[in-house]
Amino acid sequence: MKKFLVTYHAPIESMAQMATATPEQQAEGMKLWTNWFHKLGDKIVDMGAPLMNSQSLSPNGSYSPSQKQFCGYTVIQAESLDEAKSLMEGHPHTSGWNQQATLEVHETIQMPGM
């Protein structure tokens, strides 16, 4: 079985949108995620986590705020990229909470000699 890194992307401003959600809205959003995780079952390798305060390291050693809009991740397992993509159907991150929210599916590969 292959492993896939699912990365979540949304505008930085979307964090403010989430921070102003009512407790009921937050609970409803978490219900979508819980349902999705249960649907995938043992296909989930690592539930992942939301990310924030990202920093970008430049070749000269300096850091600056990241502009990549990378806001979370999950690791799944599937037989193929097509199966991994099919598992993303109905994903809560792209359920309409933010019209600019996207996700990407990346197949991991074994490092030679590791």
Side-chain angles (χ1 to χ4, degrees), residues 94-111:
T94 54
S95 66
W97 71 276
N98 185 295
Q99 294 304 310
Q100 295 177 353
T102 61
L103 61 78
E104 295 179 0
V105 180
H106 307 266
E107 183 176 345
T108 66
I109 57 172
Q110 278 295 118
M111 295 288 291

Side-chain angles (χ1 to χ4, degrees), residues 34-104:
T34 301
N35 290 344
W36 184 76
F37 285 129
H38 283 132
K39 180 178 98 172
L40 265 63
D42 65 356
K43 299 284 186 184
I44 298 286
V45 174
D46 179 351
M47 289 174 57
L51 303 172
M52 59 185 298
N53 297 326
S54 300
Q55 295 285 301
S56 179
L57 173 63
S58 68
N60 70 7
S62 66
Y63 283 89
S64 61
S66 175
Q67 300 301 311
K68 299 293 184 190
Q69 301 183 347
F70 179 38
C71 60
Y73 73 97
T74 299
V75 179
I76 64 169
Q77 59 184 354
E79 293 294 334
S80 66
L81 178 58
D82 286 339
E83 180 187 3
K85 291 188 317 185
S86 74
L87 295 172
M88 298 303 106
E89 292 175 15
H91 194 286
H93 186 70
T94 54
S95 66
W97 71 276
N98 185 295
Q99 294 304 310
Q100 295 177 353
T102 61
L103 61 78
E104 295 179 0

